[in-house]
Amino acid sequence: MKICVIGAGKMGLPVACHFASRGASVVACDLRADLVASVNRGDCPVDEPGLAELLSAAVREGRLRASLDAPAAARVSDAIVILVPAILTPEREADLAALQSVARSIAPVLAGGKLVSFETTVPVGTTRKLLLPLLESAGARHGRDFLLAFSPERIKSGTALENLGNTPKIVGGVDPESAGRAEAFYREALGAPVLNLGSCEAAE
């Protein structure tokens, strides 16, 4: 399985390394050139117990690399997992600019039934109402060219790798096919229990 993880920070990099440890071919994408260079050297830029050893092994064995070019990595992937930050504005509203930027950037490369899964915590309705139209903005169509799911991030710094292996993974999709694909994907890629809630709104 080929997986593109967009956002290789404190949450995204452990996810990417865990996928790689289970046999997937993973590209971890980020905008920070120093982070990308560090990962490709096999040096862990994130302080997380057990991650340095996992990353070093995955890079050495050719199962993990990092890239600045998310669209190129997404083009050749079977699944695209997005873990970029959404912060609060001074008015305490969600700033979804990073998610919108990623959706626009990968829109031209969606084809062949790829699974797109957002994991960033967002307000209910964001996946369907905001992100789906952006993913379709370059002509790709959900159900024909790609499937879309939401799966909330359920790990925390300090125990991320432990969480990934044993915390039940919640998934939901824009339609039942997307939810089913996400359920199958995470069961294989994570090796953890998966709870399919059906809709992306329920998962959000």
Side-chain angles (χ1 to χ4, degrees):
M1 187 190 309
K2 295 180 180 179
I3 306 173
C4 170
V5 176
I6 302 177
K10 295 183 72 175
M11 298 294 105
L13 192 57
V15 169
C17 289
H18 185 81
F19 288 158
S21 75
R22 290 185 53 80
S25 175
V26 183
V27 182
C29 300
D30 206 275
L31 296 175
R32 293 165 288 182
D34 55 341
L35 183 148
V36 167
S38 179
V39 170
N40 286 331
R41 290 194 305 268
D43 297 331
C44 187
V46 174
D47 183 16
E48 179 66 39
L51 186 60
E53 295 82 3
L54 208 61
L55 185 149
S56 177
V59 171
R60 184 174 63 251
E61 295 165 10
R63 289 180 281 106
L64 174 71
R65 66 180 179 87
S67 175
L68 293 167
D69 193 341
R75 184 187 298 275
V76 297
S77 296
D78 305 306
I80 304 162
V81 176
I82 300 161
L83 266 162
V84 298
I87 60 175
L88 286 177
T89 67
E91 294 74 34
R92 301 190 64 78
E93 295 180 353
D95 181 350
L96 304 175
L99 287 163
Q100 292 172 283
S101 177
V102 168
R104 290 190 189 95
S105 74
I106 65 173
V109 303
L110 297 178
K114 297 181 190 299
L115 174 67
V116 179
S117 178
F118 287 91
E119 294 198 11
T120 304
T121 302
V122 294
V124 175
T126 297
T127 305
R128 188 185 306 274
K129 295 177 182 177
L130 177 66
L131 300 174
L132 175 57
L134 292 175
L135 292 172
E136 292 186 325
S137 63
R141 288 294 173 262
H142 176 266
R144 182 190 72 190
D145 302 302
F146 69 97
L147 298 174
L148 177 59
F150 180 81
S151 181
E153 171 191 308
R154 303 190 74 207
I155 62 177
K156 63 179 182 178
S157 296
T159 58
L161 296 178
E162 178 184 348
N163 297 155
L164 284 167
N166 60 30
T167 302
K169 188 67 169 161
I170 291 172
V171 301
V174 168
D175 60 7
E177 184 181 5
S178 295
R181 176 75 71 81
E183 180 181 359
F185 164 71
Y186 281 109
R187 183 169 285 118
E188 178 181 352
L190 285 181
V194 180
L195 303 177
N196 184 347
L197 301 188
S199 72
C200 50
E201 288 82 5
E204 288 166 338

